Amino acid sequence: MAQIIDITPRARDVHPVLMLITSHRMDCFVLCLKCLELYTDLSRFKKIYILANDVSDEHSLLIKSFQQRHPGVIDVYTTPRGYVPAVVAMQNIIMARHIDDVIIKMYEDVFVTPRWLERLIAAYKMHKNHPRVVLASTVAPVSVTGRQVMDRALRAHYQRERSRLPGTSVAHNAILHRFVWEKVLFDGFEEKFLNLKRPEFSYVPRLSTECIIYDRRLMDLILPMPLRTVQGNHRVEEYIINSALASQKLQAAVITNAVVHHFSHMESEAYLRRHISMDDIWWHMTFLDENPAYKDSNDLSPRLPGTRNLKLRKLMRDRELRLLS
């Protein structure tokens, strides 16, 4: 009788370390934690480090509350305010401590979606022995990499609007931020992108680092990261990673079916907050397990942690709508 060999990458036997970086965007941080609890089995993480950079007392209480709900959460407070040097220094320490582990890093204004973790880990396992691919990333529509990977969806569905978008960099392109969020919230942009015929992975020589997974192969290339801005670039980690990819002729794998949402770049945040309601984003993210774009065709896949509370979430939404009407 022929032997059956399962070649499907199994995500269950990898227990990554999560680094979650937070500073001043407290409303984003609350939604970030909410989405993690709804759509992630947090027991899968070996450790969860919350790097809190000069946060307020109220912000600290949110972290403490999250710690009480989930074991294995370690709060690390850094000062002074700023990514450099405090946050970079602490990342150096954590990566050195977990040099033999798998690390996932994300920011406070990144909102995860159903089954993001399973797909991210599966992509990591698929490429862990690849000679040229040393990290993997999800797709974040509001990011440099997201604009590049999702441009086919923009051309297919919004050709006229796309042609009118400013040609400035994504970080400074506030109009692009607003346009993408309006399409996500009110025009099913996620579903339109995920329904397109596309490769499973997009391989890029440089990427945005809103939500990435990596191991020692990358850490050996970037540690220790410098505790200063590099050529005027405050995104030290992203600059160092992309420089390492370029110098070693390496690539990153972007998973085209794992979407997370990045709220905004610092340069465009003030404009975006004047035109996009965080409340609309909150309710959109709350009910993604009902969104056809995120339905899992595999009936044997594990249930999402938050599905048992779906009825309660609906009651909360209906009550709020009644109060507003």
Side-chain angles (χ1 to χ4, degrees), residues 259-275:
V259 177
V260 302
H261 287 287
H262 174 228
F263 178 62
S264 76
H265 292 279
M266 177 181 64
E267 296 86 346
S268 300
E269 180 184 3
Y271 174 87
L272 186 66
R273 286 185 180 275
R274 291 197 299 269
H275 294 89

Side-chain angles (χ1 to χ4, degrees), residues 208-221:
S208 308
T209 58
E210 282 78 22
C211 181
I212 56 176
I213 186 170
Y214 55 91
D215 61 13
R216 182 168 191 158
R217 293 175 300 157
L218 181 67
M219 287 187 272
D220 284 341
L221 296 175

Side-chain angles (χ1 to χ4, degrees), residues 132 135 145 148 202-208 241-247 249-254:
R132 295 185 59 211
L135 75 161
T145 304
Q148 176 184 339
S202 179
Y203 296 98
V204 296
R206 57 182 299 112
L207 83 165
S208 308
I241 288 175
N242 286 325
S243 296
L245 294 180
S247 64
K249 296 181 171 55
L250 300 171
Q251 292 181 318
V254 182

Side-chain angles (χ1 to χ4, degrees), residues 2 24 40 42 81 87 99 135 144 166 170 181 248 255:
H24 62 285
T40 313
L42 294 175
R81 167 67 60 85
V87 176
I99 194 70
L135 75 161
V144 176
V170 171
W181 270 116
Q248 302 296 319
I255 315 156

